[in-house]
Amino acid sequence: DSLGGGLRTCYRYLNQTSRSFASVIQALDGELRHAVCIFYLVLRALDTIEDDMTISLDVKVPMLHEFHSYLYQPEWKYTESKEKDRQVLEDFPTISMEFRNLSKVYQDVISDVCHKMGVGMAEFLEKKVDSELEWDRYCHYVAGLVGIGLSRLFSASELEDPIVGQDTELANSMGLFLQKTNIIRDYLEDQLEGREFWPREVWSRYAKKLSDFAQAENIDVAVQCLNELITNALRHVPDVLTYLSRLKNQSVFNFCAIPQVMAIATLAACYNNKQVFRGVVKIRKGQAVTLMMDATSIQAVKAIMYQYVEEIYQKIPSTDPSSNKTQQIIASIRAMSLPGSPMASRHHYSPIYLSCAMLLAALSWQYLSTISKATEEYVQAGEN
């Protein structure tokens, strides 16, 4: 094991802060693995500052704006946080040192994304998500930028073509799809913690206050609002399929595809489901394992997407105000994910290689021991 002490510490923090992401990050090839590990920890540190309600706005806003510059300050750390992941702030010097050990191409991407994200987070600390456009903007800051940063890292590593990092629109959609799924599913948890991420422009058509949806007498309008937001999120699926069809490296493909299939399965479970307003809707562990095992080629991912949008289609109530929109977006996803559709990827991985790789993954203690966390965390790229 040739990892230096600092890098070893970083992987330990990675395993502590996200056991599920740790397993897919550690499956990445070559130096890309270290770059993504550091990127994840740097964003986790930024996120921890954003989430920490004990830091006053006049301290927090400048910190978010300046955060990218701390990467180049060997001594910088923050020891006042009360958050569960505060370790990444308390030992930031180890993380920033390993950041400075990365190739300059990786450093530039990470620092740039950090800067944009910090500015965006600060903007939304001081305002609520109002319009659907602002919802896209908020999700861009906390997750779309992660998709863009990762894509630029994939291209910088030369494991993927330059277009993957250049097409920021598709990379942004990858992040938005995960983040919206997360926000939709976490309605109740966010309510209990006093946070609101559902866009006012949408929910105000159904209720006076977002919290009204938690009242039993409002369950019908609550579900209608839920269905409208799920329909909004499904609009990103065609971009997701196009993005995944461009990937050539198997480890990168798995890394990108697994969270996306977890997200579509989660949306299918939430669609038209009153339970979203009463508790947590989760996909079953067995389902999560199957998805992780199966999502290894573009054909397989299209089949999975097809299966889950079909499930949603079967549940569309004829009385639902969004039913036409939902049917339309599902029709366009179906057209893209039909077997033999023109988007079929040029890359075919040898079935022998795949079955061996997947068998190893299945038997691997790490995948199975962390799978229960995986379901919750995969879809959770960005917000905690």
Side-chain angles (χ1 to χ4, degrees):
D1 172 3
S2 60
L3 289 189
L7 209 45
R8 197 175 289 118
T9 301
C10 288
Y11 279 103
R12 195 174 77 240
Y13 294 154
L14 177 67
N15 279 291
Q16 286 164 1
T17 51
S18 170
R19 287 184 295 182
S20 63
F21 270 126
S23 53
V24 271
I25 289 173
Q26 281 161 171
L28 287 168
D29 291 340
E31 53 180 22
L32 178 62
R33 179 188 315 141
H34 303 327
V36 172
C37 172
I38 301 302
F39 185 40
Y40 179 87
L41 292 177
V42 166
L43 295 186
R44 173 59 64 203
L46 182 61
D47 205 33
T48 303
I49 292 171
E50 185 211 20
D51 279 346
D52 194 328
M53 295 303 185
T54 65
I55 308 175
S56 64
L57 276 186
D58 52 337
V59 173
K60 189 185 285 194
V61 170
M63 272 176 88
L64 292 172
H65 279 239
E66 292 305 308
F67 192 81
H68 65 109
S69 68
Y70 304 154
L71 290 166
Y72 297 98
Q73 299 173 27
E75 306 300 312
W76 188 88
K77 59 173 181 281
Y78 184 76
T79 52
E80 319 284 286
S81 179
K82 308 282 181 284
E83 291 289 298
K84 64 176 185 337
D85 292 333
R86 61 182 176 271
Q87 182 103 57
V88 291
L89 290 168
E90 290 171 356
D91 191 18
F92 198 73
T94 299
I95 297 168
S96 71
M97 177 183 73
E98 290 306 327
F99 163 83
R100 292 186 303 277
N101 284 339
L102 294 171
S103 309
K104 188 175 185 306
V105 278
Y106 299 129
Q107 288 184 39
D108 292 348
V109 171
I110 295 171
S111 155
D112 180 49
V113 169
C114 244
H115 189 193
K116 289 175 176 151
M117 192 181 282
V119 170
M121 284 173 162
E123 179 188 319
F124 278 94
L125 279 179
E126 317 200 42
K127 67 175 188 195
K128 283 234 166 78
V129 178
D130 198 41
S131 66
E132 286 189 73
L133 274 173
E134 277 190 347
W135 199 36
D136 280 7
R137 189 174 163 85
Y138 171 74
C139 292
H140 164 72
Y141 284 135
V142 298
L145 281 170
V146 182
I148 291 168
L150 285 168
S151 302
R152 288 170 61 192
L153 293 177
F154 300 155
S155 293
S157 74
E158 298 182 358
L159 292 175
E160 296 297 344
D161 291 337
I163 183 71
V164 173
Q166 288 158 1
D167 195 336
T168 53
E169 198 52 47
L170 292 188
N172 189 55
S173 284
M174 295 283 286
L176 263 59
F177 185 57
L178 299 183
Q179 188 63 22
K180 286 179 177 181
T181 297
N182 209 23
I183 287 173
I184 290 166
R185 184 204 56 192
D186 289 343
Y187 166 84
L188 196 62
E189 185 188 319
D190 286 335
Q191 277 298 307
L192 298 173
E193 296 191 11
R195 298 190 301 236
E196 297 196 346
F197 299 111
W198 283 26
R200 173 190 297 271
E201 182 188 356
V202 176
W203 63 252
S204 63
R205 291 200 286 271
Y206 300 91
K208 293 263 194 299
K209 298 197 304 293
L210 184 54
S211 56
D212 292 347
F213 290 154
Q215 316 299 313
E217 64 270 20
N218 299 320
I219 194 65
D220 293 342
V221 286
V223 168
Q224 288 177 351
C225 181
L226 168 73
N227 291 350
E228 182 173 343
L229 290 182
I230 290 176
T231 303
N232 172 303
L234 288 172
R235 295 200 318 246
H236 300 292
V237 172
D239 278 357
V240 166
L241 290 174
T242 305
Y243 179 99
L244 292 173
S245 71
R246 287 179 176 167
L247 300 177
K248 297 186 306 193
N249 177 277
Q250 184 71 54
S251 74
V252 171
F253 185 90
N254 295 356
F255 176 85
C256 294
I258 291 171
Q260 301 293 333
V261 296
M262 296 283 185
I264 191 75
T266 301
L267 288 182
C270 291
Y271 185 80
N272 209 47
N273 187 349
K274 298 172 179 175
Q275 195 54 37
V276 171
F277 304 96
R278 299 172 176 164
V280 187
V281 174
K282 283 189 185 158
I283 46 185
R284 298 184 317 280
K285 281 184 198 174
Q287 196 180 354
V289 173
T290 305
L291 287 170
M292 289 176 78
M293 300 291 293
D294 288 351
T296 56
S297 72
I298 186 64
Q299 287 78 12
V301 169
K302 283 183 184 178
I304 292 167
M305 292 285 188
Y306 189 91
Q307 175 199 330
Y308 284 111
V309 296
E310 208 50 49
E311 197 177 296
I312 292 172
Y313 187 82
Q314 299 301 330
K315 291 196 282 192
I316 301 174
S318 52
T319 54
D320 191 86
S322 312
S323 61
N324 282 349
K325 271 190 189 161
T326 314
Q327 286 165 341
Q328 280 168 354
I329 182 61
I330 287 178
S332 59
I333 296 169
R334 272 187 186 144
M336 282 186 85
S337 49
L338 276 171
S341 66
M343 224 194 57
S345 166
R346 346 177 262 297
H347 310 296
H348 293 279
Y349 302 106
S350 126
I352 296 284
Y353 162 71
L354 275 186
S355 52
C356 297
M358 288 303 101
L359 192 61
L360 279 171
L363 298 173
S364 135
W365 174 84
Q366 192 171 24
Y367 268 72
L368 294 181
S369 67
T370 63
I371 205 77
S372 51
K373 283 286 284 176
T375 325
E376 293 131 71
E377 285 190 26
Y378 263 121
V379 191
Q380 216 154 353
E383 285 304 320
N384 322 11

